[in-house]
Amino acid sequence: MKPTDKTLKRAVKLRELLNDYNYRYHVLDDPSVSDAEYDKLFIELRELEQQYPELITADSPTQRVGAAPLKEFAEVQHEVPMLSLENAFEDEQVEAFYKRIQDRLAKYKFNSIDLQEFESEHMEIPIVCEPKLDGLAVSLRYEKGLLVRAATRGDGFTGEDVTENVRTVRSVPLRLHGKDFPDVLEVRGEIYMPIAEFKELNSKALANQEKVFANPRNAAAGSLRQLNPRITAKRQLAIFCYGIGAFSDKLPKTHMETLAKLRSWGFPVNLEIKLASDKQKSLEFYQQLSVKRQRLPYEIDGVVYKVDSLADREILGFVSRAPRWALAHKFPAEQVSTIIEDVEFQVGRTGALTPVARLKPVSVGGVTVSNATLHNMDEVKRKDTRIGDTVIVQRAGDVIPEVVSVLLEHRGKNVKKIKMPAKCPVCNSAVEQIEGEAAARCTGGLYCSAQRKEALKHFASRRAMDIEGLGDKIIDQLVECGLVANPADLYALTQDQLANLERMAEKSASNILTALADSKKTSLARFLYALGIREVGEATAKNLAQHFGELTPLFSATVESLQEISDVGPVVANHIVTFFAEPHNRTVIDKLLAAGIHWEKISRDPAAQPLHGMTFVLTGTLATLSREVAKEKLENLGAKVAGSVSAKTNYVVVGTDAGSKLKKAASLNIPIMDEESFLEFLHKQ
Ligand code: IVH
């Protein structure tokens, strides 16, 4: 039976009413009806939809119950990267931030040096002060006013598609309010779990002898990154929005106006946010919020300062992955005192021995801490830390807990000095202290099972070979029972060997085998990074791959020739040469290649080069590379480098003392990159 016109209209009306009540409740914080009234209308709509399923629309408030479970999350490339923030802990760092932006803006706006100095000191820069919410960042994409996709931040460039989970979050609008929204709109915000919900969730878990979450942030992340959206729907998550990513129209001129627009489109925007006219006012905001923090129904871990003028933001640009126009001023990390019961030495991937204090367990910010790092022996000496001491331990966000100071007034008679062992605690090889280095190292190399385990963990990690499911515990077991000694052995594992490990189901074993097979298709850069050559991080690995194009020339590269590559100095060059000169390493590489690890040849076809078709102009003096080198790098990536700015220019790279080209670029609205952003840009290609 088809619904009558009247039923159809009623369903439309109910959806409108419920969406409007939702908006008043979540965005305006001004509910217009009672919960009972809301529920009554909600039930009416749900019944109509049950009777006539054709009435159901994607934006219906009834559609927040969660779709069917997924096997895995799809990847989402962020059109506009999701950046991170630089952190500050002290007022002085905030002052330095102000000074930096004042100087940069004055330099850009006033040509005379005298004027610059005068103006920068007196220039007032309105700053928006926002609570730094302790949840997880998401990007919400709307097309023609409808929520089409939601993604986590991931590494800032690629996140996970969590659309079905985000749909269940009541304060996320499924359809935008009002009319003047752009066709395409990506909104950035923080999903969080209110403290009350967190407490309730944990007390239920405790009663059922289930795992409790350490803090609301972990609970929010655990609830959102659920393959079963119905579980997400049961947890009361919420959102506050604080920015815009991709946008198909003109943006307002200031951040405050952007936030007002977001609110008018139906996004919850935090009500504590204020505009501060100067530095003093920003610091006052921080002080006041740090007091108010205790009374807020959600967790925050600091204040985010953001330049209000979007035009000024353009001028300020970025440093690596963080904007120069924003700063996170964190609240002090939580500290408690406890006793060091013992000290053990952990052996890292490169053999470095790290002293770790075994503590009398204490709760720091809701998490039980029983280990804390002592960093290295220099730090132990500087603080004069001893076993048996009462110490202050601190834990800040995701950072590993650390011993901050020793309470010498509490020192008893029976304290014991901490000594670097002469032999590796894991493999018994000699420990050597290298002149000028803080760390002491186990000389066992890959004979040492600790180093082997760490090397394998690095090899399998997400940014290296990305072998999903091959976690730390499994690698520990594989090494301990002698099944795996080097990365090549991983590819010889069988279903039976894996399934026989502790706590391993048949299904997980076959998932790992699939992940191993999938990992064989990789890139040269990832492979080089995965090998774990000392001091060869992701960026250097990329540079090496780009420079050599293939693996074999690297085997015969010399310390001198390697130094022609950007970021490679004598130390790194030496590590690379030593690594490839080691017969054992070459055997492992040969076996890995024989196991089928391969990558696409780095293309020398011009049209396939990453910057093909783009034109750059370089102007001013660059501090870390000459213009010729910058030009060569761009050309190697397929770009053209022109001598003058025109409407065809894609980017102008600006060094110090840039002249008319910079002005011309500004007048033509051509994007400008400073040296740091330029280097970051090159790395990403
Ligand atoms: S702005 C470039 N505003 O902090 C701007 N972030 O450390 C980047 N966060 O990934 C984000 N509250 O998860 C911004 N009011 C706020 C925030 C906020 C919390 C988180 C967010 C981001 C991380 C960066």
Side-chain angles (χ1 to χ4, degrees), residues 81-87 129-138 153 188-190 240-243 255 270 273 301-304 306 313 318 321-323 325-326 328 330:
M82 293 180 78
L83 302 161
S84 55
L85 294 168
E86 189 195 323
N87 286 329
C129 304
E130 304 183 356
K132 185 163 193 304
L133 306 151
D134 210 1
L136 72 153
V138 288
R153 175 171 181 274
R188 304 279 159 86
E190 195 89 347
F240 279 125
C241 295
Y242 47 64
H255 186 56
N270 191 282
I273 298 177
D301 61 350
V303 168
V304 185
K306 299 178 181 172
R313 287 187 183 185
F318 303 85
R321 287 190 180 187
W325 44 260
K330 299 290 256 310

mmCIF file of all heavy atoms in Angstrom, residues 81-87 129-138 153 188-190 240-243 255 270 273 301-304 306 313 318 321-323 325-326 328 330, ligand 1:
data_model
loop_
_atom_site.group_PDB
_atom_site.id
_atom_site.type_symbol
_atom_site.label_atom_id
_atom_site.label_comp_id
_atom_site.label_asym_id
_atom_site.label_seq_id
_atom_site.Cartn_x
_atom_site.Cartn_y
_atom_site.Cartn_z
ATOM 1 N N PRO A 81 44.382 18.827 3.863
ATOM 2 C CA PRO A 81 44.939 18.026 4.959
ATOM 3 C C PRO A 81 44.417 18.482 6.328
ATOM 4 O O PRO A 81 44.080 19.644 6.502
ATOM 5 C CB PRO A 81 46.446 18.269 4.861
ATOM 6 C CG PRO A 81 46.688 18.967 3.592
ATOM 7 C CD PRO A 81 45.405 19.498 3.071
ATOM 8 N N MET A 82 44.355 17.529 7.260
ATOM 9 C CA MET A 82 43.971 17.883 8.630
ATOM 10 C C MET A 82 45.258 18.058 9.421
ATOM 11 O O MET A 82 45.961 17.092 9.688
ATOM 12 C CB MET A 82 43.096 16.781 9.231
ATOM 13 C CG MET A 82 41.750 16.684 8.538
ATOM 14 S SD MET A 82 40.714 15.389 9.223
ATOM 15 C CE MET A 82 40.100 16.167 10.720
ATOM 16 N N LEU A 83 45.542 19.280 9.770
ATOM 17 C CA LEU A 83 46.840 19.585 10.359
ATOM 18 C C LEU A 83 46.839 19.372 11.862
ATOM 19 O O LEU A 83 45.811 19.108 12.470
ATOM 20 C CB LEU A 83 47.185 21.038 10.054
ATOM 21 C CG LEU A 83 47.221 21.326 8.563
ATOM 22 C CD1 LEU A 83 47.111 22.796 8.315
ATOM 23 C CD2 LEU A 83 48.485 20.755 7.971
ATOM 24 N N SER A 84 48.018 19.479 12.435
ATOM 25 C CA SER A 84 48.080 19.416 13.893
ATOM 26 C C SER A 84 48.507 20.783 14.417
ATOM 27 O O SER A 84 48.670 21.722 13.646
ATOM 28 C CB SER A 84 49.034 18.323 14.331
ATOM 29 O OG SER A 84 50.272 18.542 13.727
ATOM 30 N N LEU A 85 48.674 20.880 15.702
ATOM 31 C CA LEU A 85 48.975 22.179 16.304
ATOM 32 C C LEU A 85 50.303 22.125 17.024
ATOM 33 O O LEU A 85 50.686 21.091 17.568
ATOM 34 C CB LEU A 85 47.895 22.538 17.329
ATOM 35 C CG LEU A 85 46.499 22.782 16.791
ATOM 36 C CD1 LEU A 85 45.492 22.834 17.932
ATOM 37 C CD2 LEU A 85 46.471 24.095 16.017
ATOM 38 N N GLU A 86 50.980 23.252 17.048
ATOM 39 C CA GLU A 86 52.187 23.336 17.858
ATOM 40 C C GLU A 86 51.740 23.510 19.308
ATOM 41 O O GLU A 86 50.756 24.187 19.581
ATOM 42 C CB GLU A 86 52.989 24.552 17.402
ATOM 43 C CG GLU A 86 54.358 24.619 18.020
ATOM 44 C CD GLU A 86 54.987 25.990 17.855
ATOM 45 O OE1 GLU A 86 54.792 26.601 16.792
ATOM 46 O OE2 GLU A 86 55.644 26.432 18.810
ATOM 47 N N ASN A 87 52.480 22.893 20.228
ATOM 48 C CA ASN A 87 52.097 22.971 21.633
ATOM 49 C C ASN A 87 52.922 23.975 22.402
ATOM 50 O O ASN A 87 54.113 24.151 22.135
ATOM 51 C CB ASN A 87 52.314 21.617 22.310
ATOM 52 C CG ASN A 87 51.260 20.625 21.882
ATOM 53 O OD1 ASN A 87 50.128 21.006 21.589
ATOM 54 N ND2 ASN A 87 51.631 19.364 21.829
ATOM 55 N N CYS A 129 40.080 32.491 21.033
ATOM 56 C CA CYS A 129 40.502 31.532 22.052
ATOM 57 C C CYS A 129 39.433 30.452 22.168
ATOM 58 O O CYS A 129 38.263 30.762 22.407
ATOM 59 C CB CYS A 129 40.653 32.206 23.405
ATOM 60 S SG CYS A 129 41.776 33.591 23.372
ATOM 61 N N GLU A 130 39.860 29.201 21.978
ATOM 62 C CA GLU A 130 38.897 28.089 22.034
ATOM 63 C C GLU A 130 39.374 27.045 23.036
ATOM 64 O O GLU A 130 40.573 26.833 23.171
ATOM 65 C CB GLU A 130 38.815 27.394 20.662
ATOM 66 C CG GLU A 130 38.462 28.305 19.528
ATOM 67 C CD GLU A 130 38.321 27.556 18.200
ATOM 68 O OE1 GLU A 130 38.571 26.325 18.170
ATOM 69 O OE2 GLU A 130 37.941 28.209 17.225
ATOM 70 N N PRO A 131 38.446 26.360 23.691
ATOM 71 C CA PRO A 131 38.880 25.237 24.530
ATOM 72 C C PRO A 131 39.485 24.172 23.622
ATOM 73 O O PRO A 131 39.002 23.971 22.507
ATOM 74 C CB PRO A 131 37.586 24.707 25.139
ATOM 75 C CG PRO A 131 36.536 25.706 24.849
ATOM 76 C CD PRO A 131 36.979 26.516 23.686
ATOM 77 N N LYS A 132 40.560 23.532 24.074
ATOM 78 C CA LYS A 132 41.113 22.410 23.306
ATOM 79 C C LYS A 132 40.418 21.160 23.809
ATOM 80 O O LYS A 132 40.659 20.695 24.924
ATOM 81 C CB LYS A 132 42.621 22.311 23.481
ATOM 82 C CG LYS A 132 43.213 21.233 22.588
ATOM 83 C CD LYS A 132 44.706 21.403 22.442
ATOM 84 C CE LYS A 132 45.281 20.551 21.330
ATOM 85 N NZ LYS A 132 45.020 19.127 21.421
ATOM 86 N N LEU A 133 39.540 20.630 22.980
ATOM 87 C CA LEU A 133 38.687 19.515 23.386
ATOM 88 C C LEU A 133 39.480 18.228 23.331
ATOM 89 O O LEU A 133 40.278 18.022 22.418
ATOM 90 C CB LEU A 133 37.495 19.438 22.434
ATOM 91 C CG LEU A 133 36.763 20.773 22.345
ATOM 92 C CD1 LEU A 133 36.113 20.955 21.002
ATOM 93 C CD2 LEU A 133 35.756 20.881 23.466
ATOM 94 N N ASP A 134 39.247 17.361 24.298
ATOM 95 C CA ASP A 134 40.018 16.131 24.353
ATOM 96 C C ASP A 134 39.201 14.984 23.779
ATOM 97 O O ASP A 134 38.579 14.221 24.506
ATOM 98 C CB ASP A 134 40.436 15.859 25.794
ATOM 99 C CG ASP A 134 41.730 15.107 25.860
ATOM 100 O OD1 ASP A 134 42.297 14.816 24.787
ATOM 101 O OD2 ASP A 134 42.174 14.797 26.972
ATOM 102 N N GLY A 135 39.166 14.919 22.480
ATOM 103 C CA GLY A 135 38.408 13.854 21.813
ATOM 104 C C GLY A 135 39.174 13.420 20.596
ATOM 105 O O GLY A 135 40.389 13.290 20.658
ATOM 106 N N LEU A 136 38.479 13.205 19.468
ATOM 107 C CA LEU A 136 39.221 12.904 18.247
ATOM 108 C C LEU A 136 38.652 13.713 17.093
ATOM 109 O O LEU A 136 37.443 13.943 17.027
ATOM 110 C CB LEU A 136 39.248 11.405 17.949
ATOM 111 C CG LEU A 136 37.991 10.714 17.473
ATOM 112 C CD1 LEU A 136 38.359 9.499 16.649
ATOM 113 C CD2 LEU A 136 37.178 10.290 18.670
ATOM 114 N N ALA A 137 39.557 14.154 16.225
ATOM 115 C CA ALA A 137 39.159 15.054 15.150
ATOM 116 C C ALA A 137 38.474 14.272 14.041
ATOM 117 O O ALA A 137 38.873 13.157 13.708
ATOM 118 C CB ALA A 137 40.391 15.761 14.603
ATOM 119 N N VAL A 138 37.434 14.876 13.479
ATOM 120 C CA VAL A 138 36.778 14.279 12.316
ATOM 121 C C VAL A 138 36.533 15.350 11.267
ATOM 122 O O VAL A 138 36.529 16.545 11.569
ATOM 123 C CB VAL A 138 35.412 13.622 12.645
ATOM 124 C CG1 VAL A 138 35.572 12.357 13.428
ATOM 125 C CG2 VAL A 138 34.481 14.604 13.330
ATOM 126 N N ARG A 153 40.912 11.676 11.346
ATOM 127 C CA ARG A 153 42.065 12.436 10.897
ATOM 128 C C ARG A 153 43.132 11.534 10.284
ATOM 129 O O ARG A 153 43.773 11.900 9.306
ATOM 130 C CB ARG A 153 42.631 13.207 12.084
ATOM 131 C CG ARG A 153 43.885 13.945 11.793
ATOM 132 C CD ARG A 153 44.247 14.864 12.950
ATOM 133 N NE ARG A 153 45.440 15.592 12.637
ATOM 134 C CZ ARG A 153 46.664 15.147 12.849
ATOM 135 N NH1 ARG A 153 46.847 13.977 13.396
ATOM 136 N NH2 ARG A 153 47.702 15.873 12.512
ATOM 137 N N ARG A 188 35.260 20.615 10.095
ATOM 138 C CA ARG A 188 36.180 19.913 10.996
ATOM 139 C C ARG A 188 35.735 20.109 12.436
ATOM 140 O O ARG A 188 35.328 21.216 12.809
ATOM 141 C CB ARG A 188 37.601 20.480 10.833
ATOM 142 C CG ARG A 188 38.106 20.419 9.392
ATOM 143 C CD ARG A 188 38.614 19.041 9.079
ATOM 144 N NE ARG A 188 38.680 18.701 7.673
ATOM 145 C CZ ARG A 188 39.689 18.968 6.859
ATOM 146 N NH1 ARG A 188 40.724 19.657 7.284
ATOM 147 N NH2 ARG A 188 39.666 18.536 5.623
ATOM 148 N N GLY A 189 35.803 19.069 13.208
ATOM 149 C CA GLY A 189 35.396 19.202 14.600
ATOM 150 C C GLY A 189 35.925 18.062 15.434
ATOM 151 O O GLY A 189 36.645 17.181 14.941
ATOM 152 N N GLU A 190 35.578 18.083 16.692
ATOM 153 C CA GLU A 190 36.078 17.092 17.636
ATOM 154 C C GLU A 190 34.909 16.287 18.184
ATOM 155 O O GLU A 190 33.960 16.854 18.727
ATOM 156 C CB GLU A 190 36.787 17.842 18.783
ATOM 157 C CG GLU A 190 37.644 16.971 19.643
ATOM 158 C CD GLU A 190 39.084 16.863 19.125
ATOM 159 O OE1 GLU A 190 39.359 17.274 17.970
ATOM 160 O OE2 GLU A 190 39.916 16.353 19.883
ATOM 161 N N PHE A 240 31.789 19.073 18.795
ATOM 162 C CA PHE A 240 31.901 20.523 18.682
ATOM 163 C C PHE A 240 32.690 20.790 17.403
ATOM 164 O O PHE A 240 33.711 20.134 17.164
ATOM 165 C CB PHE A 240 32.674 21.140 19.853
ATOM 166 C CG PHE A 240 31.836 21.327 21.091
ATOM 167 C CD1 PHE A 240 32.242 20.773 22.298
ATOM 168 C CD2 PHE A 240 30.665 22.074 21.054
ATOM 169 C CE1 PHE A 240 31.487 20.947 23.455
ATOM 170 C CE2 PHE A 240 29.895 22.259 22.201
ATOM 171 C CZ PHE A 240 30.306 21.682 23.397
ATOM 172 N N CYS A 241 32.220 21.735 16.584
ATOM 173 C CA CYS A 241 32.921 22.011 15.334
ATOM 174 C C CYS A 241 33.745 23.285 15.461
ATOM 175 O O CYS A 241 33.342 24.219 16.157
ATOM 176 C CB CYS A 241 31.912 22.115 14.199
ATOM 177 S SG CYS A 241 31.128 20.518 13.950
ATOM 178 N N TYR A 242 34.902 23.309 14.791
ATOM 179 C CA TYR A 242 35.784 24.460 14.959
ATOM 180 C C TYR A 242 36.484 24.903 13.683
ATOM 181 O O TYR A 242 37.416 25.700 13.731
ATOM 182 C CB TYR A 242 36.826 24.212 16.050
ATOM 183 C CG TYR A 242 37.532 22.870 15.965
ATOM 184 C CD1 TYR A 242 38.343 22.551 14.888
ATOM 185 C CD2 TYR A 242 37.387 21.930 16.982
ATOM 186 C CE1 TYR A 242 38.978 21.337 14.816
ATOM 187 C CE2 TYR A 242 38.032 20.700 16.920
ATOM 188 C CZ TYR A 242 38.826 20.407 15.835
ATOM 189 O OH TYR A 242 39.464 19.196 15.762
ATOM 190 N N GLY A 243 36.070 24.387 12.548
ATOM 191 C CA GLY A 243 36.759 24.849 11.338
ATOM 192 C C GLY A 243 36.175 24.248 10.076
ATOM 193 O O GLY A 243 35.284 23.404 10.127
ATOM 194 N N HIS A 255 37.537 34.106 11.435
ATOM 195 C CA HIS A 255 37.194 32.825 12.046
ATOM 196 C C HIS A 255 35.898 32.949 12.848
ATOM 197 O O HIS A 255 35.057 32.048 12.821
ATOM 198 C CB HIS A 255 38.351 32.384 12.937
ATOM 199 C CG HIS A 255 38.185 31.016 13.510
ATOM 200 N ND1 HIS A 255 37.973 29.903 12.728
ATOM 201 C CD2 HIS A 255 38.185 30.582 14.803
ATOM 202 C CE1 HIS A 255 37.863 28.838 13.511
ATOM 203 N NE2 HIS A 255 37.978 29.226 14.773
ATOM 204 N N ASN A 270 31.367 25.367 20.317
ATOM 205 C CA ASN A 270 31.542 25.515 21.760
ATOM 206 C C ASN A 270 31.195 26.925 22.228
ATOM 207 O O ASN A 270 31.556 27.909 21.592
ATOM 208 C CB ASN A 270 32.983 25.165 22.117
ATOM 209 C CG ASN A 270 33.171 25.046 23.596
ATOM 210 O OD1 ASN A 270 33.273 26.039 24.297
ATOM 211 N ND2 ASN A 270 33.172 23.835 24.090
ATOM 212 N N ILE A 273 34.002 29.809 23.488
ATOM 213 C CA ILE A 273 34.909 30.495 22.557
ATOM 214 C C ILE A 273 34.765 32.008 22.620
ATOM 215 O O ILE A 273 33.652 32.531 22.621
ATOM 216 C CB ILE A 273 34.667 30.003 21.107
ATOM 217 C CG1 ILE A 273 34.967 28.509 21.026
ATOM 218 C CG2 ILE A 273 35.503 30.791 20.099
ATOM 219 C CD1 ILE A 273 34.699 27.884 19.667
ATOM 220 N N ASP A 301 41.974 19.869 27.392
ATOM 221 C CA ASP A 301 43.345 19.780 27.889
ATOM 222 C C ASP A 301 44.157 21.035 27.607
ATOM 223 O O ASP A 301 45.370 21.020 27.713
ATOM 224 C CB ASP A 301 44.050 18.516 27.378
ATOM 225 C CG ASP A 301 44.150 18.476 25.866
ATOM 226 O OD1 ASP A 301 43.517 19.321 25.211
ATOM 227 O OD2 ASP A 301 44.855 17.613 25.342
ATOM 228 N N GLY A 302 43.471 22.117 27.247
ATOM 229 C CA GLY A 302 44.177 23.375 27.035
ATOM 230 C C GLY A 302 43.319 24.350 26.268
ATOM 231 O O GLY A 302 42.095 24.187 26.174
ATOM 232 N N VAL A 303 44.000 25.360 25.715
ATOM 233 C CA VAL A 303 43.315 26.381 24.934
ATOM 234 C C VAL A 303 43.969 26.406 23.554
ATOM 235 O O VAL A 303 45.180 26.215 23.448
ATOM 236 C CB VAL A 303 43.475 27.763 25.610
ATOM 237 C CG1 VAL A 303 43.028 28.891 24.694
ATOM 238 C CG2 VAL A 303 42.688 27.802 26.916
ATOM 239 N N VAL A 304 43.178 26.596 22.506
ATOM 240 C CA VAL A 304 43.765 26.796 21.176
ATOM 241 C C VAL A 304 43.601 28.271 20.815
ATOM 242 O O VAL A 304 42.495 28.803 20.893
ATOM 243 C CB VAL A 304 43.084 25.929 20.089
ATOM 244 C CG1 VAL A 304 43.810 26.086 18.759
ATOM 245 C CG2 VAL A 304 43.045 24.467 20.504
ATOM 246 N N LYS A 306 43.827 31.052 17.854
ATOM 247 C CA LYS A 306 43.831 31.077 16.380
ATOM 248 C C LYS A 306 43.705 32.513 15.891
ATOM 249 O O LYS A 306 42.834 33.247 16.388
ATOM 250 C CB LYS A 306 42.633 30.286 15.834
ATOM 251 C CG LYS A 306 42.606 28.826 16.218
ATOM 252 C CD LYS A 306 41.369 28.139 15.674
ATOM 253 C CE LYS A 306 41.362 26.673 16.096
ATOM 254 N NZ LYS A 306 40.087 26.015 15.761
ATOM 255 N N ARG A 313 45.980 34.728 8.096
ATOM 256 C CA ARG A 313 46.373 33.309 8.132
ATOM 257 C C ARG A 313 47.093 32.919 6.845
ATOM 258 O O ARG A 313 48.091 32.214 6.872
ATOM 259 C CB ARG A 313 45.139 32.418 8.272
ATOM 260 C CG ARG A 313 44.519 32.452 9.632
ATOM 261 C CD ARG A 313 43.438 31.405 9.682
ATOM 262 N NE ARG A 313 42.756 31.433 10.962
ATOM 263 C CZ ARG A 313 41.821 30.564 11.316
ATOM 264 N NH1 ARG A 313 41.464 29.612 10.484
ATOM 265 N NH2 ARG A 313 41.241 30.648 12.493
ATOM 266 N N PHE A 318 52.301 27.910 6.937
ATOM 267 C CA PHE A 318 52.506 26.720 7.747
ATOM 268 C C PHE A 318 53.973 26.432 8.013
ATOM 269 O O PHE A 318 54.819 26.825 7.249
ATOM 270 C CB PHE A 318 51.944 25.501 7.005
ATOM 271 C CG PHE A 318 50.508 25.671 6.673
ATOM 272 C CD1 PHE A 318 50.114 26.335 5.519
ATOM 273 C CD2 PHE A 318 49.543 25.201 7.537
ATOM 274 C CE1 PHE A 318 48.778 26.510 5.230
ATOM 275 C CE2 PHE A 318 48.210 25.374 7.260
ATOM 276 C CZ PHE A 318 47.827 26.032 6.102
ATOM 277 N N ARG A 321 53.780 20.397 9.617
ATOM 278 C CA ARG A 321 52.371 20.016 9.582
ATOM 279 C C ARG A 321 51.470 20.905 10.425
ATOM 280 O O ARG A 321 50.320 20.582 10.677
ATOM 281 C CB ARG A 321 52.215 18.590 10.054
ATOM 282 C CG ARG A 321 52.704 17.642 9.017
ATOM 283 C CD ARG A 321 52.329 16.265 9.406
ATOM 284 N NE ARG A 321 52.794 15.343 8.395
ATOM 285 C CZ ARG A 321 52.495 14.077 8.390
ATOM 286 N NH1 ARG A 321 51.739 13.592 9.335
ATOM 287 N NH2 ARG A 321 52.947 13.297 7.446
ATOM 288 N N ALA A 322 51.984 22.019 10.934
ATOM 289 C CA ALA A 322 51.151 22.863 11.801
ATOM 290 C C ALA A 322 51.083 24.280 11.255
ATOM 291 O O ALA A 322 52.060 24.776 10.701
ATOM 292 C CB ALA A 322 51.727 22.851 13.205
ATOM 293 N N PRO A 323 49.917 24.919 11.396
ATOM 294 C CA PRO A 323 49.826 26.292 10.899
ATOM 295 C C PRO A 323 50.581 27.249 11.821
ATOM 296 O O PRO A 323 50.638 27.023 13.027
ATOM 297 C CB PRO A 323 48.333 26.585 10.942
ATOM 298 C CG PRO A 323 47.771 25.652 11.945
ATOM 299 C CD PRO A 323 48.660 24.447 11.978
ATOM 300 N N TRP A 325 49.561 30.144 12.324
ATOM 301 C CA TRP A 325 48.570 31.060 12.869
ATOM 302 C C TRP A 325 47.807 30.501 14.062
ATOM 303 O O TRP A 325 46.838 31.065 14.521
ATOM 304 C CB TRP A 325 47.592 31.512 11.781
ATOM 305 C CG TRP A 325 47.096 30.408 10.884
ATOM 306 C CD1 TRP A 325 47.559 30.105 9.632
ATOM 307 C CD2 TRP A 325 46.055 29.454 11.158
ATOM 308 N NE1 TRP A 325 46.867 29.030 9.112
ATOM 309 C CE2 TRP A 325 45.946 28.614 10.025
ATOM 310 C CE3 TRP A 325 45.197 29.236 12.246
ATOM 311 C CZ2 TRP A 325 45.028 27.576 9.949
ATOM 312 C CZ3 TRP A 325 44.279 28.202 12.166
ATOM 313 C CH2 TRP A 325 44.200 27.381 11.028
ATOM 314 N N ALA A 326 48.238 29.330 14.537
ATOM 315 C CA ALA A 326 47.524 28.754 15.682
ATOM 316 C C ALA A 326 48.515 28.153 16.669
ATOM 317 O O ALA A 326 49.644 27.819 16.308
ATOM 318 C CB ALA A 326 46.548 27.687 15.216
ATOM 319 N N ALA A 328 48.464 25.611 20.457
ATOM 320 C CA ALA A 328 47.732 24.950 21.549
ATOM 321 C C ALA A 328 48.474 25.238 22.843
ATOM 322 O O ALA A 328 49.644 24.894 22.966
ATOM 323 C CB ALA A 328 47.669 23.453 21.295
ATOM 324 N N LYS A 330 48.695 24.167 26.379
ATOM 325 C CA LYS A 330 48.194 23.029 27.145
ATOM 326 C C LYS A 330 48.130 23.349 28.643
ATOM 327 O O LYS A 330 48.956 24.103 29.159
ATOM 328 C CB LYS A 330 49.124 21.817 26.950
ATOM 329 C CG LYS A 330 49.238 21.352 25.518
ATOM 330 C CD LYS A 330 47.991 20.707 25.013
ATOM 331 C CE LYS A 330 47.994 19.228 24.895
ATOM 332 N NZ LYS A 330 48.957 18.464 24.285
HETATM 333 S S1 IVH B 1 42.062 23.296 15.206
HETATM 334 C C1 IVH B 1 45.047 23.602 12.017
HETATM 335 N N1 IVH B 1 40.635 23.584 17.394
HETATM 336 O O1 IVH B 1 43.758 19.173 18.521
HETATM 337 C C2 IVH B 1 43.988 23.478 13.016
HETATM 338 N N2 IVH B 1 41.828 21.553 17.095
HETATM 339 O O2 IVH B 1 46.622 19.150 18.058
HETATM 340 C C3 IVH B 1 43.958 22.146 13.685
HETATM 341 N N3 IVH B 1 41.542 19.948 18.903
HETATM 342 O O3 IVH B 1 43.708 17.248 15.606
HETATM 343 C C4 IVH B 1 42.808 21.866 14.515
HETATM 344 N N4 IVH B 1 40.175 21.166 20.113
HETATM 345 O O4 IVH B 1 41.833 16.904 17.308
HETATM 346 C C5 IVH B 1 41.454 22.785 16.696
HETATM 347 N N5 IVH B 1 39.329 23.976 19.266
HETATM 348 C C6 IVH B 1 40.133 23.174 18.562
HETATM 349 C C7 IVH B 1 40.492 21.895 19.030
HETATM 350 C C8 IVH B 1 41.354 21.115 18.252
HETATM 351 C C9 IVH B 1 40.815 20.017 20.027
HETATM 352 C C10 IVH B 1 42.399 18.810 18.509
HETATM 353 C C11 IVH B 1 42.150 18.259 17.134
HETATM 354 C C12 IVH B 1 43.454 18.362 16.407
HETATM 355 C C13 IVH B 1 44.422 18.458 17.527
HETATM 356 C C14 IVH B 1 45.656 19.201 17.082
#
